[in-house]
Amino acid sequence: MTLAHIRVEAVAYDDVVAAGLRAELMADLSCRYGDQDGDATAVRSAEFTPPLGVFLVGWLANRPVGCAGWRTVGENAELKRMWVRPEARGKGLARTLLAAVEESARQAGRARMILETGLAQPEAIALYESAGYQRIPDFGHYANEPAVRSYGRSL
């Protein structure tokens, strides 16, 4: 499928479709990292409500297949809960979601996007590095974990 078949929509963080995609993400992270929580970073739905942030769902052929959001952290936008279902990978959805998140943050006045990921997510690391993200000092809930990798990029 081509990029023309991808649709990205802003939704409430606790929207039922968004919640289902985030649950799949957490299950995947639990498998990769061997913990029950998937990601223990504290988030609140209000953090993804404009102007503090946004949460997006990506659709492919009228089926929800990915999500991503940003929230305000200091003067930065922090990318959170980026996920694409395995069957939808390789079709440009992750890049489309990332670009939409970045544009949303830019329009909200944020000049920089930061994120944290981990060594058990090599495809995420490859995406971020190919999109121009560079390593930054680790931050957030997992800052002291040896497998964490933090990245940032000017918007």
Side-chain angles (χ1 to χ4, degrees):
M1 299 200 159
T2 67
L3 292 178
H5 292 93
I6 297 171
R7 183 175 86 244
V8 178
E9 295 179 344
V11 301
Y13 184 79
D14 53 3
D15 172 86
V16 66
V17 171
L21 289 165
R22 288 193 329 275
E24 291 177 36
L25 164 62
M26 293 305 162
D28 180 73
L29 293 176
S30 291
C31 288
R32 290 176 190 244
Y33 293 100
D35 63 31
Q36 255 181 327
D37 295 326
D39 180 354
T41 304
V43 298
R44 296 182 330 271
S45 62
E47 295 175 305
F48 298 90
T49 302
L52 298 176
V54 167
F55 201 77
L56 305 172
V57 169
W59 299 77
L60 193 60
N62 293 318
R63 184 170 187 274
V65 293
C67 61
W70 68 269
R71 65 180 180 171
T72 300
V73 174
E75 305 216 353
N76 300 307
E78 180 188 15
L79 179 67
K80 292 301 294 176
R81 306 301 188 244
M82 177 101 174
W83 165 252
V84 174
R85 286 181 167 154
E87 70 272 13
R89 293 178 186 164
K91 295 175 172 63
L93 184 67
R95 287 194 186 282
T96 300
L97 277 169
L98 183 59
V101 166
E102 291 172 342
E103 181 59 25
S104 171
R106 190 178 303 109
Q107 288 181 3
R110 304 303 177 275
R112 185 162 181 78
M113 181 75 71
I114 59 174
L115 65 93
E116 59 181 357
T117 189
L119 291 178
Q121 297 166 266
E123 67 280 22
I125 291 171
L127 170 68
Y128 301 136
E129 289 179 348
S130 72
Y133 284 79
Q134 297 183 348
R135 287 291 309 274
I136 62 172
D138 294 331
F139 68 94
H141 183 78
Y142 295 102
N144 297 318
E145 297 290 329
V148 76
R149 295 295 179 266
S150 298
Y151 288 88
R153 180 181 113 109
S154 294
L155 298 174

